Amino acid sequence: LVIAILSSDSEYNIDEVCGLLKIMEKYIFLIFKISQRRANTGDSAFYGFARQYYKKELSISDIIGVKDLEIEKNTGINLWLVKYFELNSFYTYLSDKFKNRDGYYSWNGLSYFLFEYELNLKNQSRNITPKINWKDYTVSKADCRSIEHILPQTPNEDCWQKEIVGLSEFEIKKLTNSLGNLVPLSKAKNSKLQNYCFDIKKNGKNDEDFVGYKIGSYSEQKINAKSNWGIKEIEERGFELLNFMAEHWDIEELRNKEKQKEFLFLDDILKIN
């Protein structure tokens, strides 16, 4: 579809193209990473849009379409968003991840989501310097991680034990893999470094050339402002990240605080504490 627009001899408005790219990104994230639809969802329609645009039968605004839920008049890509977006599918998908794997840490959209959140923090800071390089961030390296569990997966140190008193092994796993406990790193770190106490994670360790959160990504720097890291902080940051998701991708249902609580998967742990 993009190639059809850029290779056509038709004149196009750059603002309209940007609007199209924005809704395409929204479609890819909401349909494939949230709703977990099949990878070919919408293919035939979008090939059709490309052909029709190239033959001057459709405009870019026609392809974007309209969204009017009150009278159920939806067209273009907006129609496909309304038709195929399903937040409950995301909940079902995550429920399985928390039962059988590593919760949000094994979500196939996690890296992209945290990167978008990082860019949002950069924009809020009015700083033009990115702290995370996308290529380095997404390249897998042996025993190195670009996304860190703040409360480690193996919290054996006394500094962490006091934060998880009374929790079962399964509850600890849920807590460590909750959305609010995961942070994108400006520089991939050896996985063994994740077990350090929160104070060392924040400030680093000179004798090991270990860089702390205080000079890391914008996400790391925000966590660095915390004096402690436990269940309460993980919950609060989880709400913050879900609020960002709801606002950034216009997910109306996820703006509800009670709905957000469901997506944190921490209810049983919070009742204990």
Side-chain angles (χ1 to χ4, degrees), residues 155-168:
N156 297 326
E157 299 288 340
D158 290 343
C159 57
W160 291 121
Q161 283 293 310
K162 65 183 179 65
E163 302 294 344
I164 56 173
V165 171
L167 299 185
S168 67

Side-chain angles (χ1 to χ4, degrees), residues 10 48-59 62-63:
S10 301
F49 289 156
R51 178 182 57 79
Q52 288 176 287
Y53 178 86
Y54 197 77
K55 294 176 68 176
K56 299 180 173 59
E57 297 172 357
L58 279 181
S59 67
D62 290 331
I63 296 168

Side-chain angles (χ1 to χ4, degrees), residues 72-94:
E72 296 185 352
K73 182 182 179 182
N74 308 296
T75 62
I77 295 177
N78 272 300
L79 169 63
W80 283 84
L81 274 168
V82 171
K83 189 175 180 181
Y84 283 96
F85 172 66
E86 181 55 67
L87 187 61
N88 287 338
S89 295
F90 189 41
Y91 181 83
T92 301
Y93 169 86
L94 289 172

Side-chain angles (χ1 to χ4, degrees), residues 133-185:
N133 177 281
W134 174 256
K135 184 177 179 181
D136 294 338
Y137 172 65
T138 53
V139 172
S140 297
K141 297 177 182 177
D143 204 31
C144 283
R145 303 289 182 267
S146 56
I147 295 176
E148 178 168 89
H149 295 79
I150 307 167
L151 169 65
Q153 290 178 293
T154 52
N156 297 326
E157 299 288 340
D158 290 343
C159 57
W160 291 121
Q161 283 293 310
K162 65 183 179 65
E163 302 294 344
I164 56 173
V165 171
L167 299 185
S168 67
E169 185 177 341
F170 179 69
E171 288 166 339
I172 292 170
K173 186 174 182 180
K174 283 183 68 177
L175 183 63
T176 57
N177 290 294
S178 185
L179 185 60
N181 192 50
L182 303 170
V183 60
L185 303 173

